[in-house]
């Protein structure tokens, strides 16, 4: 298996000659835009589903779930944890854009399993200000999926909480394993 990090591209020459990774992304966008045609889509997801997942670069959610452009809303953060901001996004997704289902995806080998809330303390010592957010670290990925499902199901802001399912994505096999909410 190869990744974009291991496949040389023409724009890597720009990085080697003083360009940045952002320059590479902007160049790639120019190539994308040159062939782009407006698909004429609405902002409402065709499948009426919102997927909340970890930001881990190993998760290609569209490929892993067989999704196409326009099928879902995708909300990603460190750990795929349901935070206040995720509830905010889900609320907008449901109330303004018609989603009905929520899929939560954590994964094996998550970096949050090796962090603690001590991370916030270390940041405070380094920069002189305590972050307002919690790290949301966890030791048990299955239990954290259950906690995230519970946060969605009990949010007073969400209209649709009957179709909330949680999974752990195995980064070695690519398979999802469903987590029983009980």
């Amino acid at each position: 298996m190869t990744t974009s990090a291991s496949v040389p591209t023409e724009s890597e020459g720009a990085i080697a000659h003083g360009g940045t990774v952002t320059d590479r992304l902007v160049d790639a966008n120019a190539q994308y835009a040159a062939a782009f045609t407006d698909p004429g889509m609405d902002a409402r997801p065709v499948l009426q589903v919102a997927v909340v997942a970890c930001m881990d670069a190993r998760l290609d959610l569209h490929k892993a779930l067989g999704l196409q452009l326009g099928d879902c809303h995708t909300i990603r953060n460190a750990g795929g944890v349901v935070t206040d901001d995720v509830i905010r996004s889900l609320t907008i997704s449901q109330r303004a854009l018609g989603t009905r289902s929520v899929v939560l995806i954590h994964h094996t080998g998550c970096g949050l399993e090796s962090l603690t809330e001590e991370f916030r303390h270390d940041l405070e010592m380094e920069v002189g200000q305590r972050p307002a957010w919690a790290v949301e670290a966890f030791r048990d990925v299955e239990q954290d999926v259950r906690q995230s499902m519970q946060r969605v199901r009990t949010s007073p802001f969400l209209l649709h909480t009957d179709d909330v399912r949680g999974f752990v994505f195995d980064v070695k096999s690519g398979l999802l394993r469903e987590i029983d909410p009980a």
Side-chain angles (χ1 to χ4, degrees):
M1 178 175 106
T2 61
T3 65
S4 61
S6 63
V7 178
T9 66
E10 290 179 27
S11 39
E12 281 184 334
I15 296 170
H17 293 73
T20 66
V21 171
T22 304
D23 293 331
R24 176 180 166 187
L25 300 176
V26 170
D27 289 345
N29 174 256
Q31 292 173 19
Y32 171 80
F36 183 79
T37 55
D38 179 1
M41 294 179 172
D42 186 284
R44 295 173 176 272
V46 173
L47 299 179
Q48 297 182 321
V49 63
V51 178
V52 178
C54 186
M55 66 185 191
D56 192 294
R58 296 171 290 181
L59 278 65
D60 185 342
L61 292 176
H62 276 73
K63 281 187 182 176
L65 301 175
L67 296 167
Q68 300 298 314
L69 184 66
D71 281 349
C72 74
H73 282 157
T74 306
I75 304 160
R76 296 181 80 157
N77 67 17
V81 177
V82 175
T83 61
D84 286 345
D85 194 57
V86 168
I87 294 293
R88 171 189 165 270
S89 294
L90 288 172
T91 301
I92 293 167
S93 178
Q94 287 188 358
R95 290 179 176 266
L97 297 165
T99 59
R100 301 269 187 266
S101 300
V102 178
V103 173
L104 305 170
I105 301 177
H106 287 32
H107 65 91
T108 58
C110 185
L112 283 187
E113 291 177 290
S114 62
L115 290 178
T116 66
E117 290 299 321
E118 188 69 21
F119 183 81
R120 289 176 68 213
H121 174 74
D122 294 345
L123 279 173
E124 181 180 11
M125 294 298 100
E126 180 182 329
V127 302
Q129 181 178 341
R130 187 164 184 85
W133 39 264
V135 174
E136 297 278 353
F138 54 85
R139 294 282 179 250
D140 182 338
V141 68
E142 290 184 15
Q143 184 55 36
D144 202 66
V145 170
R146 286 184 194 95
Q147 176 176 294
S148 289
M149 285 189 281
Q150 185 65 17
R151 286 178 177 173
V152 170
R153 287 190 173 122
T154 59
S155 173
F157 306 109
L158 299 175
L159 295 171
H160 306 286
T161 59
D162 54 324
D163 188 14
V164 178
R165 293 172 64 185
F167 301 86
V168 173
F169 177 87
D170 187 311
V171 297
K172 301 289 186 201
S173 71
L175 287 173
L176 288 176
R177 178 171 38 88
E178 188 158 8
I179 303 303
D180 183 1

